[in-house]
Amino acid sequence: MRQLLKEIRACEVCKAHLPLGPRPIVSFSGKSKIVLLSQAPGRLAHLHNKPWDDPSGKTLRKWLGVNEDQFYNTDNFAILPMGFCYPGKGKTGDLPPRKECAPLWHDQVWKTLQGVQLTLLIGKYAQDCYLKKRSERNLTENVAHYKKFLPTYFPLPHPSPVNRFWRFKNPWFEKEVQPILKQKISKILGRDGNP
């Protein structure tokens, strides 16, 4: 596992396409209970070399009902983006994750994960990749029909401030879905999730 992490963190496959250069950000252990499959690290995560170290991360931790110590404990959470490096800025947010990354690394990482009890599919890129034909028409329907994908997957919107309008238009997410998510996370982490 240490060798795999070393290889991932030395990866430069997408170097020519990354405006800030390669800096793969991923974390996991053989004991990770919950996998966070998301889009790609943001600019702040790239600069600090720390995943979810931004307003999106604060919102996500609130949704999960965990503190930073619990969140960054790799025995609790594996952080496995669709793209491991910051892809650069687009017109209305960050660019999509590089397509080379997930096919190159995800299967290798999954082989090291022995105790995963739940996988959170954060955003459309992760949902499209992992739900495939089981996916509903769009992200909103995936999140609304989250029970269909349990016990393996739990689809979520991206917690980015850019998505605040989605949350405003879909208040049922925070009223109905978020409490269920917190309960599931709490049950999985149990006492072991305490810092």
Side-chain angles (χ1 to χ4, degrees):
M1 186 178 301
R2 281 194 292 269
Q3 180 59 31
L4 177 59
L5 272 168
K6 186 176 178 182
E7 289 174 19
I8 290 172
R9 289 176 177 152
C11 181
E12 294 189 342
V13 168
C14 304
K15 184 176 182 177
H17 306 286
L18 301 171
L20 299 183
R23 189 175 213 178
I25 297 177
V26 59
S27 61
F28 56 90
S29 82
K31 298 178 182 178
S32 298
K33 299 175 186 76
I34 301 164
V35 177
L36 302 175
L37 277 163
S38 56
Q39 185 170 319
R43 189 181 63 81
L44 289 177
H46 176 90
L47 294 174
H48 301 159
N49 196 26
K50 186 176 181 182
W52 296 102
D53 187 28
D54 54 18
S56 297
K58 288 180 183 175
T59 300
L60 179 59
R61 287 187 285 278
K62 178 183 169 191
W63 289 355
L64 302 177
V66 298
N67 61 35
E68 284 196 26
D69 289 335
Q70 292 167 316
F71 185 79
Y72 289 111
N73 179 343
T74 56
D75 287 350
N76 290 333
F77 294 96
I79 297 175
L80 188 63
M82 296 306 297
F84 294 166
C85 295
Y86 171 62
K89 194 78 175 156
K91 289 181 181 177
T92 58
D94 293 341
L95 291 170
R98 296 294 311 170
K99 292 184 178 182
E100 300 89 339
C101 199
L104 182 62
W105 296 113
H106 276 208
D107 283 348
Q108 294 182 66
V109 173
W110 277 108
K111 287 175 185 173
T112 70
L113 301 175
Q114 304 297 319
V116 175
Q117 298 177 46
L118 184 64
T119 300
L120 306 182
L121 301 175
I122 303 168
K124 192 77 168 89
Y125 294 105
Q127 291 168 24
D128 286 348
C129 181
Y130 278 81
L131 297 180
K132 300 187 185 333
K133 292 182 180 179
R134 293 181 62 204
S135 183
E136 298 286 339
R137 289 185 305 165
N138 55 45
L139 178 141
T140 302
E141 290 190 18
N142 283 338
V143 175
H145 295 98
Y146 71 92
K147 291 177 185 175
K148 167 184 171 181
F149 308 109
L150 292 171
T152 306
Y153 300 120
F154 201 124
L156 297 171
H158 197 284
S160 167
V162 174
N163 284 347
R164 67 187 176 278
F165 297 114
W166 184 94
R167 297 198 297 275
F168 180 76
K169 284 169 50 178
N170 299 282
W172 51 266
F173 170 70
E174 291 191 3
K175 289 178 184 172
E176 299 167 25
V177 179
Q178 191 181 332
I180 302 296
L181 174 64
K182 278 185 179 179
Q183 286 174 9
K184 289 198 169 297
I185 299 300
S186 178
K187 185 175 180 182
I188 291 169
L189 297 185
R191 291 185 192 147
D192 295 334
N194 292 327

